[in-house]
Amino acid sequence: MSEEIKHTAEQEGHPHKQRNTLFQVRLPLYIAMALVVGVLIGANTFSPSGNNPQSTAKGYLKFRDILSYIDRDYVDTVDIEKLSDYAITKMLEKLDPHTSYIPAEELAMARSYLEGDFEGIGVEFNIFKDTIYVITPLSGGPSEAAGIQAGDKIIKVDGKNLAGVGITNEMVFKHLRGAEGTKVNLSILRKGSSKPLTFNLQRNKIPTSSVDVSYMVNANTGYIKVSRFSANTFDEFKQALTSLKKKGMQQLILDLRGNPGGYMDHATRMADEFIAGDKLIVYTDGKGTKYDSKTHARTKGDFENGSLIVLVDEGSASASEIVAGALQDNDRALIVGRRSFGKGLVQMPIPLNDGSELRLTISRYYTPSGRSIQKSYVDGAEKYEQDMLQRFERGEYFHPDSSLFVDSLKYKTTKGRVVYGGGGIMPDVFVARDTTELSEYLSQLYTKNVIREYTLGYYRDNRKSLEKMSFERFNKSFDVSDKMLQELVKLAGEEGVVYNDAQFKRSKNLIRNNLKAFIARSVYGNKGFFPVLHESDEEFQQALKQFARAQRLAKGNS
């Protein structure tokens, strides 16, 4: 995990992750709710208005009276602020799944995901055996300049022990991040050093990236992965697109899998780069007309004609779905993967007087053909939250759900192609989850961070020889040996992962791929990590096979 709170690199693409904190579970929803609609309303005074001001006033007075009685007469001392937060949260659950109250202490962390940079020491870290391991110092940050290395263990911050049972990501953020110019003292344990090393760092602004990687897959095929829509996303995307075009790109895979959304304007500007003329990209519809809007293409894009494939899955939400829906409905791109998340409610952020924030749903998003992106939530919050599990149990991850392909959910694109609503974006080409090489043994390797830990150690021990190789040479010549697999199994055993021969053999090729990918990441960054990982990525490989169909779309043929 890195300081700016992003999906951990060591978990990228893996079906099993470590147990998350409540905040981490909510984070994708916080991100999805952070769509900027250009309206900020203060809420410092009570002024009932709307359709039923008399009922609003009565409700307010009732709530105030109950809190007053509790504070004055209840038998035990009660934290009234916490009680109010709880009551507000429960009240909002009766509305929709994405209207939300965010306490002041969580707001900064929720917003930081969408900021273009943050202030801190600049390390990506992982918690392993209740110890903070540096995965990599971020380029241009204070840690890189000071000489902190991958594999270093951070044991103390400003003299305070930061290793032990119960350490969380939030605790690490609290100690490592801070205002630009402030100083922090780190105690580091490094392999080969008998005593802890001391580093005195000055925090600085750390640039972060939402375009995880862009590279040429072959002579004419480009690939861009966008992990979120944050403050710098469009500029990063535009730079990547321009660079790939200079390298001869004629067709592109845009990967939005696992992208939980973010700023809407960055999504619509991205879609505009692919859509010619003034075609509709997305529209919103709310109560009355106050929050209704239509967004059209308006600029000459850099890739309006080449073949385009967009990868989505059940983790693609909100702004990601706006891009995919616009490109599909305008017959501009072939959508490959599985049905997206289905988050199409628009929230308005409303700052409250104690520093907390209400994010209130004010309208719905619709694709150009008229499909509502939002999946149903009429059965209540609990079923809504279990939707991903229900998709798995219905078998939707392995074959299209026939209940979603009915006449009442049928829409047509600008050229008359049939597309379907029902919540989320339905792909043109369905790709089932590939479970052929998955096993409980592999799951335990992921859960215990054994693969990441082994590859960090391998990189430390072989750093000089690895860094002499170009990535091209590494990718062609480096093989994960049987000896390396045996070492991994031994480390796993030390971490309590019980060896299962049948499961190991089932997952063996995927384990080899993952080991090579994470070693490549330590040496070459994401430009080494993703090309190796994609060799075992069924959705990516299927996308490469669909360019003939995508080309027909690009030429105006369905």
Side-chain angles (χ1 to χ4, degrees):
M1 190 127 187
S2 68
E3 280 181 82
E4 79 278 17
I5 312 195
K6 65 181 181 182
H7 295 302
T8 58
E10 66 274 21
Q11 294 172 344
E12 188 64 51
H14 295 167
H16 299 278
K17 297 179 174 66
Q18 290 178 295
R19 180 177 294 276
N20 290 323
T21 65
L22 180 60
F23 176 81
Q24 289 169 312
V25 170
R26 291 175 176 170
L27 182 58
L29 296 182
Y30 289 168
I31 297 159
M33 291 186 291
L35 303 174
V36 172
V37 295
V39 183
L40 291 175
I41 298 177
N44 297 324
T45 59
F46 177 71
S47 179
S49 59
N51 293 343
N52 198 344
Q54 190 173 1
S55 290
T56 305
K58 286 174 65 177
Y60 164 75
L61 293 172
K62 185 191 299 184
F63 187 69
R64 185 198 66 181
D65 287 348
I66 289 172
L67 279 180
S68 297
Y69 280 119
I70 291 171
D71 188 35
R72 188 183 66 204
D73 299 327
Y74 184 66
V75 62
D76 296 320
T77 301
V78 174
D79 188 326
I80 292 297
E81 187 173 356
K82 283 187 177 179
L83 195 64
S84 299
D85 286 356
Y86 178 79
I88 291 167
T89 299
K90 285 299 180 182
M91 175 177 65
L92 297 181
E93 287 177 2
K94 294 293 184 181
L95 301 180
D96 66 79
H98 298 297
T99 289
S100 174
Y101 168 75
I102 304 179
E105 63 268 20
E106 290 186 6
L107 188 59
M109 194 172 289
R111 284 176 173 168
S112 70
Y113 189 91
L114 295 173
E115 296 302 320
D117 50 33
F118 68 100
E119 295 172 352
I121 68 168
V123 293
E124 187 172 336
F125 68 90
N126 183 46
I127 297 174
F128 181 75
K129 289 184 181 178
D130 293 310
T131 302
I132 305 164
Y133 283 76
V134 175
I135 292 177
T136 185
L138 300 180
S139 178
S143 294
E144 182 187 53
I148 290 176
Q149 300 176 6
D152 285 349
K153 302 175 189 178
I154 302 176
I155 56 173
K156 289 184 180 180
V157 178
D158 290 330
K160 184 175 181 179
N161 189 18
L162 210 61
V165 177
I167 187 170
T168 64
N169 290 320
E170 286 77 11
M171 291 168 62
V172 180
F173 298 140
K174 181 180 178 181
H175 285 86
L176 298 187
R177 299 182 67 176
E180 182 180 7
T182 58
K183 295 181 179 180
V184 61
N185 178 278
L186 301 184
S187 292
I188 298 282
L189 280 180
R190 178 175 295 169
K191 188 174 182 179
S193 298
S194 57
K195 296 181 180 180
L197 305 175
T198 300
F199 291 85
N200 292 299
L201 306 179
Q202 182 169 296
R203 296 183 179 96
N204 206 342
K205 280 195 177 294
I206 312 297
T208 61
S209 175
S210 53
V211 173
D212 285 350
V213 71
S214 63
Y215 73 96
M216 292 296 290
V217 181
N218 53 42
N220 66 342
T221 306
Y223 171 89
I224 300 176
K225 179 172 179 59
V226 183
S227 61
R228 63 180 187 247
F229 288 89
S230 61
N232 292 334
T233 297
F234 179 74
D235 291 338
E236 294 173 24
F237 164 76
K238 183 86 168 177
Q239 183 178 359
L241 190 66
T242 300
S243 175
L244 293 179
K245 284 187 67 179
K246 288 179 180 178
K247 293 176 181 177
M249 179 184 69
Q250 297 173 353
Q251 54 191 30
L252 173 66
I253 296 175
L254 175 63
D255 192 346
L256 299 179
R257 290 176 296 174
N259 183 322
Y263 291 132
M264 183 184 75
D265 61 329
H266 287 255
T268 56
R269 290 172 71 192
M270 180 182 291
D272 199 354
E273 288 298 304
F274 302 113
I275 297 173
D278 63 350
K279 299 181 181 71
L280 183 62
I281 291 176
V282 67
Y283 69 92
T284 64
D285 185 26
K287 185 186 291 183
T289 60
K290 184 176 181 180
Y291 298 116
D292 294 355
S293 67
K294 289 186 176 182
T295 303
H296 292 261
R298 58 182 181 177
T299 62
K300 173 67 176 173
D302 274 355
F303 200 73
E304 292 184 349
N305 299 310
S307 303
L308 177 62
I309 288 175
V310 179
L311 279 170
V312 298
D313 64 9
E314 53 280 351
S316 307
S318 192
S320 300
E321 297 173 292
I322 289 172
V323 173
L327 296 175
Q328 186 179 46
D329 282 6
N330 283 295
D331 297 291
R332 178 63 191 91
L334 192 72
I335 311 300
V336 175
R338 292 182 297 279
R339 179 164 68 109
S340 62
F341 182 86
K343 195 279 175 186
L345 297 176
V346 186
Q347 280 70 49
M348 176 172 65
I350 303 173
L352 304 178
N353 56 17
D354 66 343
S356 60
E357 189 170 275
L358 170 66
R359 290 181 177 171
L360 184 68
T361 296
I362 55 169
S363 59
R364 288 181 171 84
Y365 283 118
Y366 293 85
T367 70
S369 68
R371 292 179 290 168
S372 171
I373 292 172
Q374 179 63 42
K375 62 188 175 186
S376 174
Y377 52 88
V378 295
D379 292 329
E382 186 175 351
K383 279 204 170 183
Y384 185 87
E385 291 171 0
Q386 293 176 349
D387 177 62
M388 295 295 119
L389 177 61
Q390 289 169 351
R391 292 191 197 188
F392 178 82
E393 292 175 343
R394 288 197 307 266
E396 188 181 334
Y397 292 158
F398 309 103
H399 53 76
D401 184 351
S402 59
S403 68
L404 297 169
F405 295 88
V406 295
D407 286 346
S408 61
L409 299 174
K410 188 182 292 185
Y411 295 80
K412 288 191 175 181
T413 68
T414 53
K415 291 190 171 71
R417 286 192 309 136
V418 173
V419 291
Y420 288 89
I425 302 300
M426 304 289 181
D428 300 304
V429 178
F430 175 83
V431 183
R433 270 193 180 179
D434 184 8
T435 59
T436 55
E437 295 183 350
L438 300 183
S439 67
E440 181 59 29
Y441 184 75
L442 179 64
S443 172
Q444 287 296 307
L445 295 183
Y446 292 148
T447 302
K448 301 276 189 176
N449 278 323
V450 175
I451 290 177
R452 192 67 185 107
E453 174 64 11
Y454 175 80
T455 54
L456 271 175
Y458 185 90
Y459 169 67
R460 285 195 305 264
D461 294 342
N462 299 274
R463 183 173 184 171
K464 289 184 179 179
S465 60
L466 287 169
E467 291 182 348
K468 288 179 181 177
M469 279 192 277
S470 66
F471 172 68
E472 290 72 22
R473 182 184 162 200
F474 171 89
N475 203 23
K476 287 181 180 179
S477 64
F478 185 88
D479 291 316
V480 174
S481 66
D482 289 340
K483 180 185 176 185
M484 292 171 66
L485 291 177
Q486 291 166 7
E487 291 170 347
L488 178 76
V489 168
K490 182 181 178 183
L491 177 63
E494 292 171 356
E495 291 306 309
V497 181
V498 178
Y499 180 75
N500 182 300
D501 189 61
Q503 292 181 12
F504 174 78
K505 287 176 179 176
R506 178 179 177 178
S507 302
K508 191 173 182 179
N509 289 334
L510 191 54
I511 292 172
R512 286 187 191 273
N513 172 268
N514 278 209
L515 290 178
K516 182 175 179 179
F518 280 110
I519 291 169
R521 187 175 185 274
S522 293
V523 185
Y524 311 103
N526 282 348
K527 288 187 179 292
F529 177 71
F530 283 102
V532 175
L533 206 64
H534 287 155
E535 293 172 8
S536 294
D537 184 338
E538 180 62 22
E539 292 150 35
F540 176 87
Q541 294 299 329
Q542 283 293 325
L544 286 177
K545 298 174 183 177
Q546 298 296 329
F547 270 112
R549 187 171 170 185
Q551 190 174 40
R552 291 196 296 272
L553 265 183
K555 291 180 177 179
N557 304 314
S558 58

